Amino acid sequence: MLVIVCPHCGPRNSNEFTFLGERSTRPAVAATTPAAWRHYLYFKNNAAGEAGERWFHVSGCRRFLDVERDTLTNEIRSVRDVGEAAG
Amino acid sequence: MSMGGESVAEYSSPVAAATADLGSCLLHDESHLAKWRVWEDDHGVELGRASHYAGSIVCAVSPGEWIVIGDRPDAADVVDLTHVRAAIRLTGAGARSLLEHVCALDLGDSMTPNGAAARTLVAGVATEIIRDDAAGEPSYLLLMSRSFARSVWERLEAAAPATSQ
Amino acid sequence: MASYPTRYSALALLRKGVTRSDWPRAWRHHDLRSSYDVVIVGGGLHGLATAYYLARNHHITNVAVLDKAYIGGGGSGRNTAIVRSNYLTPEGSAFYDRSVRLYEGLTEDLNFNIMFEQRGHMTLAHNDASLRTMRWRAEVNKLGGIDSEVIDPAGVKELAPAIDVSDRPRYPILGALWHPPGGIVRHDAVVWGYARGADVAGAHIHQGTEVTGIDVASGRVTGVQTSRGAVAAPVVINCTAGWSTLIADMAGVKLPITTRPLQAAVTEPVQPFLDPVIVSGTLHVYVSQTARGELVFGASVDPFSSYSSRGSLGFTEGLAGHVLELMPGLSKMRLLRQWAGLCDMTPDFGPIIGPTPVAGFYVDVGWGTYGFKAGPVAGEQVAAMVANGTVPRLIASFGLERFEQGRLTAEKGAAAVGH
Amino acid sequence: MSGSRLGVQPGELIDRDRVVRFEWNGTEHHGFAGDTIASALAAGGVEVFSRSFKYRRPRGILTADYHDPNLFVQVGDEPNVRAGHRLLISGMDVTAQGAWPSLGFDARGANRLVGRFLAPGFYYKTFISPARLRPAYQKILRRFGAGGKIDPATPPAHAAKRFAHPDVLVAGGGPAGMAAALAASHRGARVMLVEENHHLGGHLLYGGPESAAALAELRALIGADDAIEVLTNAVVTGRYDHNWVGVVVRHGGEERLVKARAKCLVVAAGKIERPYVFAGNDLPGVMLSSAVRRLINLYAVAPGTRAVVATANESGDAALADLERAGVEVAAVADLRKSGSLLVRAKGRGRLTAVELSGGRTIEADLLVTAVGWTTPTSLLNMAGDRPVYDATAARFLPGEFPDDVLAAGGVVGDGSIESVVDQGRVAGFEAGRRALETGAAWQRLTPRAAPAPEVDTEPTVIPRLPAMPHPELFTGPTDGFVDFSEDVKGRDLALAAAEGYDSIELAKRYTTVTMGSIQGKLAGVNAVAVHAAATGATIATTGTTTWRPPYAPITLGALAGVDEDPVRYSPMHDWHDAHGAVPIGAGQWIRPDHYGDPAREVRNTRANVGIIDVSPLGKIDLRGRDVPRLLEFVYTNRWDSLAIGGVRYGVMCAEDGVILDDGVTARLEESRFYMTTTSSGAGRVWNWLDEWLQTAFPTWDVKTTAVTDGYAAMNIAGPRSRELLQRVASGVDASPESFPYMNARIATVAGVAECIVLRIGFTGELSYEVHVPAGYGLHVWEELLAAGSDLGIAPFGLEAQRIMRLEKGHFIVGQDTDGLTKAHTAGLAGLIKIDKPDFSGKPELVWEGEQGPPRRLVAIQPVDGSVVPAEASQIIAGGLTRGRVTSSRTSPTLERSICLAIVDTEYAAAGAELTIRLPDGRDVAATVLEHHAHVDVDGGRVRG
């Protein structure tokens, strides 16, 4: 049971969150091709180490979060709300 | 649709009993309380806190929104949660240890002092927990989706025998 | 094909016992050659089976199997050793049916007792939807000539008396998919049997040899870099699990795979009481009792991707709760050991077998939670693909290209009722 | 002759005033309160407690504690009870395990004779052919399985779990652990102190007067400290990510799980005494020095009458002293620290009778005590990422590196006097407390609800090294013996395995099963490594240990399960259904009425008069804000901007891959207030889906979503007389078809309940109104509707009748008539896909599917023989291959014939096409494809009426 430090709720057990996988960018629908679109759908980096992920605090504040996690150690480097993810 | 509206209809509670005496603490069904969701608050209630205002409790468990328990607040957008959320109150010396059987949150005074509010899992159900001590006695108000209330109530009763140990 | 220096048999066992002489090595150490005809990355079940069938079926013996640690240390040694073929799609069930048939002959074929116990495989249905899926699988299986049928709760009770079939609102048992040919195998034995067979046929098994790079020149694979030096090879096959995307990345090939831990656990042994393999998709649990008397448990993959193969406490809690939902009498059994393996999940729960955009670089990956039961057939088909340079019909629908083309395989439904 | 009860010992744990009677293999025995099963039996002269797994050799006491591989017994319906740990209870029914037909005579003991032929992995080498006999072999092999019996009728033993948040969790209640707990508490930390045995103290319990004094003092201090929670007869089973720690608390056979998020974990697990590998080392009468010390000091049991002591350390010396004090004759002492002094072999048939020492000296004895060294239980440290390092001087593995939130104290890190161990533990605990408080303060700062974080000391304290004392490297003697007692693995077995190619320790472990038994290699681990290293010409250091995997000690499934149950959801009208003969059915988390006796009658009544169904589980989402229409345009495939106030529209949501996610109707109640309904199972998924798009893609849009599923009891009144019924109970709404047409919604007061939402929609293919009532008044309105409609022939109907009617109407159910690959075109929704919209979820895939045409289609079909109802999932075949499947099928009470929905390959989907359905019983039946999905109310006259 990982501890994820939610920026709004503080440290919480990971079973309060839904894992949505590595973040990916949605191609512009008007211009996309089947290959490009399906890479967006199916192909991830599957990084061994630093991964940029999206989690959802479904049983807490219901905010979507950008999580930087080391997939080898499960160490979590940072958790930010998608709203201020750039910050 | 809050209680005491013009309705003559008979209200029914989501749980079987109004109260349950679990020895070191009491369960009370307070589902009938009017509850509201708003996106503005002029009392300045901060995230993670709950405060009393003229008979109402205002709490914040998610950024930019508040839950009001009591009279309908005066706000642009108000969603009535009265029937959406059931309310169960645990009061008594053993309330915390009972809750610790079904809730992973650190309920100690440093992490969850009186007046703290949070949404978390209680008996596997997303629940707003408000620590609302009454006359120095530990008390927690739990709000959860109405259809789960019976399950949660029964889980609390099932855990009770173990609290002694 | 060369024969074993000492064939295994009861008689040989007796002879060794009397003369107190030792057995020859099951596989030998070799120097790493500077070039091989085929380099197989990954000394697990799939890699070793591929080497074995390359030699036995196609007389390709100048083959190296490279493993960064020891053979069978990955998914091959961490799975729950269940074999079945009652899949949802015609392609899927035909493929796994071939695997079951290979397993049935494997002990004699490899002259190594893999202890395949066909005690039957039972997938429980707790609601209309899963009962419907069971019937769907059974009907597809029957069309493919696979022994698979839907049975009622009484039938469940008869085959597995420990199961509680009493009527209850939450998880009643409405019936089950019954698959007599299914069963369990001693997983390590399969790895060792293939290793011994591949070794005697001339393949080189190099343990402790990590692949650090894959050489590609003008769209062709030319060899691999390893912790023990460079090896030239016109054909490189990625037979890894857990690390398959990292190996493919070395060749510049992207795979639609995410790596998830799959946990398993075993109890202390008790006297035999459970014959068939029991699976509940709804409760995400599968159970079998080994010849040693232990119960072996597995569940669904972890809720988030990770390369960490440490077990979690939450897994054992959920597992125990669900096992006791099925068999309440087991509450005093003790969980002895838990572990995790890495599973390569694909978007459609189908494997990825076939050529890649890099000529000579093949993949046999994406095996999710069911790579063990497919080991023999995957090895056989991949060997045929490499030897003949064409993709055999049996694996035609499992190619990498299907994802860009949007032609996903339909096992999605089956994976939900897993293992 | 056997052991027997001694006079009163200073530190004994037994209460001689309380005699406890129990049964052992059917004969009555007695012991004292405080006895373990094993100590009581030993006091009563029992020497053989079990038979070994492979060779069925008789086995006696080895370590006399929880981890004794020879003391597994059956207690009533509980298998594999540790007799060296479990306290005696009066009336206990204790039996030996795996000793069929009896402990004395064991037919399978014949195995011993053929031991030479049962080389490691012998089973891989035989039973190879003929294949037809293999199942028989397998049955025989299974008979040899170890372990006790489980009775499937055992009543479930579940105990509620609990969560804990100690600042410092100390694993191990010996001197170091107790000192660490006290120091951490003095620092201001809340401490949980966990001890595996029944009493705090570790080896101080049997260490003589000096130990006793120290123990008394430490216990007094801990007893007086409210900040320390002491859990005895409890064990830390695992350390998981981020210091999530499992603790099992035992009460006799019952176990209870505590899940602790420890800010700092102190591992003070002590040392485990290691057996010696030599011929006869498993004979009853051969014991470790710690076993002898436990038996004499804790239970006042003489372990033998004539002893040989082979010692290489202080523990053996102390055991020697204990024996002499207890009046046990010591025939010889072999000091293995002296060169040339050897322990050669133990002799005897079924029990020890003599011991051979160096120089051919053979001494008669019924007790052989060995003290040859220690194993460090680094299990918890390994789980924290530690890789132990072999220290040749100390002849044991010692901890290496582990994270900051884990510390080690006492025997796991080194040796020393009581003072030095206590002192090292004290400092470790002091520093653990500081780290924990620092973490706690950081968590308070990160937690809005928390109290203000206190100032904490950030100055680390250096923890003194506890040097590991030199110890001779004693693993195997001059003869071969058992390395693993629970698996019957000898040294030669490991050597043979290595010679056969299983030459990495992990391969050797898997091949010989060494360390894989029920004591998890606690005793065998290091000896196995030593033997394997010798066999492969490697060193112990380079060979390394095998991985310690959780749990540290086995946990019952009952403890892991606890009383947790997946939560169940009830409708506000649930009790009414119960009271009125509803047959319940689980639908996801909901318990719903499947029917009230006769679904067909319910259908006919609804079509003829009016029926009422509880559809409360239907997902409901309140949508507010200026930009709701933009959101609907994006998540649904069809158009929404034009929806008028009071209007209702049906929509389908697709995921980005074009696969149907959910469907439902959405009403516009006010300019900026919408009311979305979803499938019951999709309610949560859809709410999350909306919020995900709003938060990640459209953060500036003015849309507020609130799940209100539970806020409204929903009941659908359907049938030709439903309008009349509504008119009777509803006020504030004109129900006439002109002012309240199909696909419209109104706010109304129903049966006196204001703020009800009434939707005129028709899932059943009837004129019908869905009344959504504030949940607390649901039962009231439900009963009022039934009363008001009694003369209209109203009757409730359940899920089954609804399924039949929706099938008659040809409405598909997402997840039943569609699957994980069904895109919108396949479901025949082309008309609802507006690709002229600039963007919506899944648009590209739907555009491409539209261009290529779907490979499969959802169609309505009817078997030619209307009396045949093809089971759902029956395959549609052509040329022996599957071309599709029946997704829904029922007998239509309205048409009095079978009707179906099916997904078929497009080439077979044309209206009028003749199909062949293969029934589960193997028969083939013919069926025809209809033009529309609807079998009933094809023109929509009923719903629109």
Side-chain angles (χ1 to χ4, degrees):
Chain A
M1 188 72 70
L2 308 188
V3 173
I4 297 176
V5 180
C6 172
H8 307 298
C9 308
R12 294 294 185 92
N13 286 350
S14 51
N15 67 333
E16 288 189 7
F17 301 76
T18 309
F19 172 73
L20 299 170
E22 284 180 64
R23 298 190 293 275
S24 50
T25 339
R26 186 171 189 255
V29 161
T32 192
T33 64
W37 186 257
R38 282 150 189 170
H39 271 258
Y40 155 67
L41 289 178
Y42 305 130
F43 290 72
K44 309 284 179 185
N45 296 329
N46 199 34
E50 277 298 311
E53 303 174 336
R54 170 116 339 123
W55 292 67
F56 175 41
H57 197 180
V58 61
S59 303
C61 59
R62 288 192 58 85
R63 292 295 304 177
F64 287 78
L65 307 168
D66 284 358
V67 176
E68 311 308 310
R69 183 175 61 102
D70 185 321
T71 57
L72 292 165
T73 63
N74 286 338
E75 187 191 336
I76 294 170
R77 301 247 197 285
S78 83
V79 185
R80 285 171 305 178
D81 188 291
V82 287
E84 29 96 33
Chain B
M1 173 81 221
S2 73
M3 282 298 287
E6 65 296 323
S7 164
V8 297
E10 187 194 340
Y11 173 89
S12 38
S13 155
V15 294
T19 66
D21 183 345
L22 304 183
S24 61
C25 79
L26 288 169
L27 298 189
H28 286 280
D29 170 28
E30 298 186 359
S31 303
H32 61 276
L33 294 175
K35 315 169 204 75
W36 316 88
R37 185 182 188 201
V38 291
W39 288 266
E40 58 196 274
D41 161 58
D42 42 25
H43 304 97
V45 175
E46 290 173 359
L47 191 58
R49 311 295 306 163
S51 308
H52 288 262
Y53 294 99
S56 294
I57 300 177
V58 180
C59 75
V61 297
S62 184
E65 60 173 274
W66 288 262
I67 293 173
V68 178
I69 303 162
D71 297 341
R72 182 190 177 96
D74 172 23
D77 279 312
V78 180
V79 174
D80 187 344
L81 298 181
T82 305
H83 299 263
V84 177
R85 309 299 274 171
I88 300 174
R89 184 180 281 274
L90 285 72
T91 306
R96 174 180 158 190
S97 50
L98 176 62
L99 213 42
E100 281 172 341
H101 285 284
V102 290
C103 176
L105 218 56
D106 184 342
L107 299 170
D109 290 339
S110 55
M111 287 296 277
T112 311
N114 190 26
R119 189 187 292 124
T120 186
L121 287 172
V122 172
V125 175
T127 302
E128 288 94 22
I129 295 185
I130 298 167
R131 179 162 173 195
D132 183 36
D133 291 1
E137 195 169 41
S139 186
Y140 302 86
L141 185 60
L142 311 181
L143 309 182
M144 78 285 306
S145 280
R146 180 187 167 103
S147 63
F148 283 115
R150 192 173 291 194
S151 254
V152 173
W153 182 281
E154 285 166 359
R155 277 287 305 283
L156 289 167
E157 287 180 322
T163 52
S164 44
Q165 289 158 6
Chain C
M1 169 139 179
S3 68
Y4 298 105
T6 308
R7 288 191 63 79
Y8 292 163
S9 71
L11 194 65
L13 208 62
L14 197 64
R15 203 180 307 117
K16 295 284 183 188
V18 175
T19 60
R20 289 204 178 259
S21 59
D22 291 349
W23 297 89
R25 286 185 66 89
W27 48 84
R28 295 154 292 179
H29 291 298
H30 300 279
D31 296 334
L32 188 66
R33 289 183 192 152
S34 61
S35 85
Y36 287 92
D37 296 341
V38 176
V39 164
I40 296 168
V41 186
L45 171 54
H46 284 246
L48 292 164
T50 301
Y52 173 80
Y53 290 111
L54 276 171
R56 199 197 72 171
N57 297 357
H58 310 283
H59 310 293
I60 299 173
T61 58
N62 184 24
V63 175
V65 180
L66 311 182
D67 195 287
K68 67 177 176 180
Y70 56 94
I71 57 172
S76 308
R78 296 164 182 269
N79 67 84
T80 49
I82 295 169
V83 171
R84 65 176 177 92
S85 63
N86 55 348
Y87 276 71
L88 182 64
T89 61
E91 315 78 51
S93 43
F95 177 79
Y96 287 98
D97 183 47
R98 174 63 187 161
S99 207
V100 168
R101 292 178 196 284
L102 285 168
Y103 265 118
E104 285 170 339
L106 214 50
T107 287
E108 280 145 313
D109 187 0
L110 297 176
N111 177 238
F112 199 106
N113 187 350
I114 62 160
M115 296 190 265
F116 183 17
E117 300 184 46
Q118 293 184 286
R119 298 195 232 137
H121 182 281
M122 184 188 290
T123 313
L124 302 171
H126 303 282
N127 53 52
D128 290 7
S130 51
L131 194 57
R132 198 178 298 114
T133 310
M134 298 310 135
R135 206 178 292 111
W136 183 358
R137 285 164 64 182
E139 293 313 301
V140 170
N141 296 160
K142 286 189 231 166
L143 284 172
I146 294 165
D147 188 352
S148 176
E149 60 176 325
V150 173
I151 58 174
D152 63 11
V156 170
K157 191 76 185 170
E158 191 183 334
L159 289 158
I163 293 186
D164 173 13
V165 297
S166 67
D167 186 26
R168 50 195 188 276
R170 197 66 170 91
Y171 298 111
I173 289 169
L174 305 182
L177 180 65
W178 174 236
H179 180 48
I184 53 173
V185 180
R186 177 82 177 89
H187 55 8
D188 293 326
V190 184
V191 171
W192 300 332
Y194 273 121
R196 178 164 166 265
D199 172 90
V200 74
H204 287 189
I205 298 168
H206 296 290
Q207 303 184 76
T209 309
E210 181 169 10
V211 170
T212 56
I214 295 178
D215 304 327
V216 177
S218 54
R220 271 209 132 278
V221 73
T222 60
V224 298
Q225 300 294 323
T226 80
S227 54
R228 289 169 59 198
V231 176
V235 173
V236 174
I237 312 172
N238 179 358
C239 288
T240 58
W243 309 89
S244 62
T245 54
L246 304 178
I247 297 294
D249 284 344
M250 294 176 185
V253 173
K254 281 271 161 220
L255 298 175
I257 281 175
T258 56
T259 298
R260 294 255 181 139
L262 177 69
Q263 300 194 53
V266 62
T267 66
E268 293 176 350
V270 294
Q271 294 301 309
F273 71 93
L274 181 66
D275 272 348
V277 178
I278 307 295
V279 178
S280 165
T282 309
L283 294 173
H284 302 292
V285 59
Y286 45 105
V287 189
S288 67
Q289 187 176 24
T290 67
R292 290 164 51 84
E294 306 149 323
L295 289 189
V296 176
F297 300 130
S300 53
V301 293
D302 282 5
F304 55 89
S305 61
S306 174
Y307 287 85
S308 149
S309 56
R310 289 190 296 278
S312 77
L313 181 60
F315 156 75
T316 59
E317 294 177 74
L319 182 73
H322 289 151
V323 167
L324 295 183
E325 181 76 42
L326 300 176
M327 296 183 267
L330 306 191
S331 62
K332 292 177 178 177
M333 283 190 78
R334 291 183 184 78
L335 192 104
L336 178 63
R337 185 165 58 244
Q338 69 177 113
W339 66 92
L342 298 181
C343 294
D344 288 340
M345 308 307 293
T346 60
D348 61 1
F349 304 102
I352 307 174
I353 325 177
T356 68
V358 174
F361 181 62
Y362 297 87
V363 290
D364 169 27
V365 298
W367 282 104
T369 61
Y370 35 88
F372 175 77
K373 49 184 70 64
V377 67
E380 178 193 59
Q381 298 298 309
V382 169
M385 171 172 66
V386 169
N388 310 331
T390 60
V391 177
R393 185 189 49 76
L394 210 52
I395 56 172
S397 61
F398 300 139
L400 174 59
E401 65 287 348
R402 74 180 185 270
F403 297 98
E404 278 196 7
Q405 295 170 357
R407 294 186 294 100
L408 273 55
T409 67
E411 277 304 337
K412 260 187 164 171
V417 289
H419 319 287
Chain D
M1 162 19 235
S2 71
S4 64
R5 195 74 74 175
L6 300 163
V8 173
Q9 302 296 309
E12 69 182 24
L13 301 174
I14 53 173
D15 176 352
R16 294 177 185 253
D17 300 333
R18 289 166 53 210
V19 174
V20 178
R21 306 196 173 280
F22 67 105
E23 285 205 344
W24 165 247
N25 295 328
T27 62
E28 180 168 303
H29 284 246
H30 70 275
F32 297 121
D35 260 324
T36 63
I37 294 171
S39 66
L41 287 173
V46 172
E47 299 171 327
V48 179
F49 290 76
S50 66
R51 289 274 181 170
S52 74
F53 166 55
K54 196 162 145 193
Y55 303 125
R56 322 310 301 190
R57 293 169 62 88
R59 293 278 167 86
I61 292 177
L62 180 66
T63 71
D65 67 356
Y66 190 91
H67 305 292
D68 194 317
N70 301 344
L71 301 183
F72 281 49
V73 298
Q74 179 95 25
V75 175
D77 61 7
E78 184 184 1
N80 303 330
V81 173
R82 274 61 170 173
H85 175 85
R86 179 67 59 86
L87 294 180
L88 208 56
I89 294 174
S90 100
M92 256 183 175
D93 170 23
V94 186
T95 52
Q97 291 185 173
W100 164 87
S102 84
L103 208 53
F105 169 79
D106 183 337
R108 288 173 293 185
N111 264 16
R112 266 169 297 168
L113 309 176
V114 298
R116 277 158 58 188
F117 308 107
L118 300 187
F122 74 95
Y123 29 76
Y124 302 127
K125 299 194 176 93
T126 182
F127 307 145
I128 286 174
S129 55
R132 66 187 152 71
L133 288 185
R134 230 175 281 132
Y137 295 140
Q138 289 163 352
K139 274 208 164 46
I140 295 163
L141 263 186
R142 289 186 77 189
R143 291 291 307 281
F144 278 80
K149 291 188 180 56
I150 68 113
D151 171 5
T154 302
H158 302 241
K161 310 173 198 174
R162 73 176 162 103
F163 296 94
H165 304 270
D167 295 318
V168 175
L169 193 152
V170 182
M178 289 190 284
L182 285 165
S185 161
H186 289 160
R187 192 105 194 205
R190 288 165 303 143
V191 181
M192 181 178 279
L193 174 60
V194 182
E195 166 54 38
E196 182 170 25
N197 294 303
H198 304 279
H199 305 271
L200 289 175
H203 62 79
L204 295 186
L205 283 166
Y206 45 82
E210 189 202 2
S211 298
L215 177 54
E217 186 182 354
L218 287 166
R219 273 195 184 155
L221 290 168
I222 286 172
D225 191 330
D226 298 340
I228 303 176
E229 180 183 10
V230 179
L231 299 175
T232 53
N233 192 15
V235 62
V236 176
T237 60
R239 187 273 184 188
Y240 301 89
D241 284 335
H242 302 173
N243 259 3
W244 187 243
V245 178
V247 179
V248 164
V249 186
R250 306 180 180 121
H251 309 272
E254 185 204 81
E255 294 184 347
R256 191 179 291 282
L257 181 64
V258 178
K259 295 177 275 182
R261 179 73 69 186
K263 298 183 190 70
C264 194
L265 172 66
V266 177
V267 177
K271 293 178 288 192
I272 295 177
E273 188 170 23
R274 205 166 61 211
Y276 196 42
V277 179
F278 62 97
N281 65 341
D282 70 325
L283 285 170
V286 180
M287 293 185 201
L288 304 190
S289 65
S290 47
V292 166
R293 304 194 65 197
R294 289 186 185 102
L295 288 173
I296 294 174
N297 296 295
L298 305 184
Y299 307 107
V301 171
T305 59
R306 193 161 193 276
V308 171
V309 177
T311 174
N313 56 42
E314 70 291 346
S315 176
D317 304 345
L320 175 58
D322 288 338
L323 286 166
E324 283 166 341
R325 189 169 44 76
V328 175
E329 178 192 355
V330 177
V333 174
D335 188 332
L336 303 180
R337 285 162 291 205
K338 298 206 182 81
S339 64
S341 168
L342 296 176
L343 169 55
V344 178
R345 69 165 48 83
K347 296 179 170 178
R349 272 204 156 287
R351 70 117 36 254
L352 178 74
T353 54
V355 179
E356 179 183 337
L357 301 175
S358 28
R361 278 172 65 215
T362 297
I363 296 108
E364 288 195 0
D366 63 2
L367 173 66
L368 169 59
V369 185
T370 68
V372 300
W374 309 99
T375 292
T376 314
T378 51
S379 179
L380 293 175
L381 299 169
N382 295 159
M383 295 175 208
D386 175 40
R387 289 281 157 269
V389 182
Y390 182 69
D391 179 330
T393 319
R396 70 182 198 252
F397 282 87
L398 290 168
E401 300 283 304
F402 35 89
D404 290 346
D405 55 6
V406 178
L407 290 171
V412 288
V413 287
D415 312 298
S417 65
I418 294 176
E419 299 80 63
S420 56
V421 167
V422 164
D423 193 57
Q424 192 266 350
R426 186 182 55 76
V427 181
F430 195 67
E431 171 61 9
R434 189 196 62 78
R435 294 185 191 181
L437 294 179
E438 202 172 13
T439 302
W443 283 4
Q444 277 173 261
R445 280 191 295 275
L446 291 164
T447 306
R449 73 173 192 280
E455 281 304 307
V456 291
D457 183 354
T458 56
E459 194 50 49
T461 311
V462 180
I463 301 161
R465 271 190 75 258
L466 197 58
M469 289 179 183
H471 193 291
E473 277 187 290
L474 293 165
F475 300 100
T476 59
T479 53
D480 188 28
F482 284 92
V483 173
D484 188 321
F485 292 77
S486 34
E487 292 293 300
D488 266 5
V489 177
K490 291 187 162 188
R492 181 163 188 276
D493 298 331
L494 285 160
L496 286 174
E500 280 190 58
Y502 305 88
D503 48 11
S504 84
I505 187 65
E506 288 292 341
L507 281 178
K509 177 176 115 188
R510 287 165 163 76
Y511 190 63
T512 62
T513 73
V514 72
T515 75
M516 302 197 42
S518 291
I519 58 160
Q520 305 159 302
K522 288 184 180 66
L523 301 184
V526 179
N527 286 341
V529 170
V531 173
H532 180 80
T536 54
T539 66
I540 294 176
T542 55
T543 302
T545 52
T546 61
T547 328
W548 296 69
R549 292 201 169 99
Y552 170 73
I555 319 172
T556 61
L557 299 182
L560 287 167
V563 297
D564 299 9
E565 273 180 2
D566 300 348
V568 174
R569 307 178 73 172
Y570 297 101
S571 139
M573 287 83 86
H574 176 81
D575 293 342
W576 188 95
H577 303 315
D578 247 12
H580 292 76
V583 174
I585 183 173
Q589 293 174 307
W590 294 89
I591 305 297
R592 305 187 63 174
D594 191 27
H595 58 80
Y596 300 82
D598 180 356
R601 194 186 65 226
E602 292 165 19
V603 170
R604 283 190 293 270
N605 181 69
T606 302
R607 296 244 184 258
N609 304 307
V610 54
I612 180 168
I613 179 172
D614 179 356
V615 291
S616 300
L618 196 74
K620 314 170 195 82
I621 302 172
D622 177 293
L623 302 170
R624 310 270 172 131
R626 209 173 45 253
D627 295 312
V628 173
R630 294 173 76 183
L631 176 68
L632 299 178
E633 285 273 311
F634 186 85
V635 295
Y636 284 127
T637 61
N638 55 335
R639 287 219 163 276
W640 289 84
D641 44 11
S642 60
L643 183 65
I645 293 173
V648 173
R649 196 165 285 174
Y650 171 79
V652 170
M653 294 183 189
C654 292
E656 288 279 71
D657 59 4
V659 172
I660 296 173
L661 193 72
D662 203 72
D663 69 344
V665 300
T666 293
R668 186 171 207 165
L669 301 177
E670 296 165 19
E671 176 61 29
S672 296
R673 177 186 171 199
F674 289 68
Y675 187 69
M676 174 185 281
T677 68
T678 74
T679 62
S680 306
S681 55
R685 188 169 60 242
V686 170
W687 187 29
N688 299 346
W689 180 243
L690 301 182
D691 280 356
E692 180 172 5
W693 283 112
L694 288 170
Q695 288 183 37
T696 62
F698 315 118
T700 61
W701 287 7
D702 171 29
V703 181
K704 305 174 180 80
T705 71
T706 309
V708 294
T709 299
D710 291 17
Y712 291 93
M715 47 207 89
N716 189 297
I717 50 173
R721 311 176 82 169
S722 55
R723 177 178 294 124
E724 188 177 352
L725 174 60
L726 182 69
Q727 281 164 331
R728 293 183 182 183
V729 293
S731 59
V733 58
D734 172 0
S736 68
E738 303 70 35
S739 56
F740 194 175
Y742 181 57
M743 294 306 268
N744 269 255
R746 302 286 183 266
I747 306 281
T749 297
V750 181
V753 178
E755 295 293 321
C756 296
I757 301 165
V758 183
L759 303 134
R760 187 180 163 191
I761 50 181
F763 190 54
T764 55
E766 283 299 327
L767 169 67
S768 71
Y769 301 87
E770 208 160 87
V771 185
H772 292 214
V773 182
Y777 301 106
L779 180 58
H780 164 82
V781 173
W782 174 269
E783 287 176 324
E784 291 289 316
L785 281 165
L786 283 161
S790 55
D791 62 322
L792 301 174
I794 190 170
F797 63 99
L799 221 45
E800 176 58 16
Q802 186 193 43
R803 285 205 211 91
I804 295 170
M805 286 189 277
R806 70 86 202 178
L807 181 57
E808 289 180 330
K809 178 62 177 175
H811 287 303
F812 65 82
I813 294 178
V814 175
Q816 172 169 346
D817 303 295
T818 72
D819 61 43
L821 293 174
T822 310
K823 297 177 185 172
H825 286 278
T826 306
L829 299 168
L832 282 179
I833 305 166
K834 303 301 180 190
I835 61 170
D836 53 336
K837 291 198 293 183
D839 190 6
F840 57 91
S841 172
K843 178 182 175 183
E845 290 290 354
L846 294 175
V847 169
W848 298 324
E849 190 194 26
E851 288 166 358
Q852 294 153 4
R856 306 175 304 159
R857 283 188 171 283
L858 181 68
V859 294
I861 63 175
Q862 289 183 355
V864 174
D865 175 352
S867 69
V868 178
V869 184
E872 290 170 351
S874 295
Q875 296 297 297
I876 290 157
I877 57 169
L881 297 175
T882 174
R883 309 292 184 175
R885 71 178 194 280
V886 174
T887 59
S888 298
S889 65
R890 288 290 188 277
T891 290
S892 161
T894 312
L895 303 177
E896 294 180 327
R897 73 164 348 277
S898 55
I899 57 172
C900 316
L901 278 174
I903 285 197
V904 296
D905 297 349
T906 301
E907 51 185 310
Y908 299 88
E914 290 288 326
L915 304 176
T916 305
I917 303 174
R918 171 70 51 88
L919 303 178
D921 64 14
R923 280 182 301 144
D924 289 350
V925 297
T928 316
V929 177
L930 306 193
E931 184 181 356
H932 304 284
H933 285 181
H935 300 263
V936 170
D937 190 37
V938 178
D939 62 1
R942 284 164 170 269
V943 288
R944 285 179 169 57

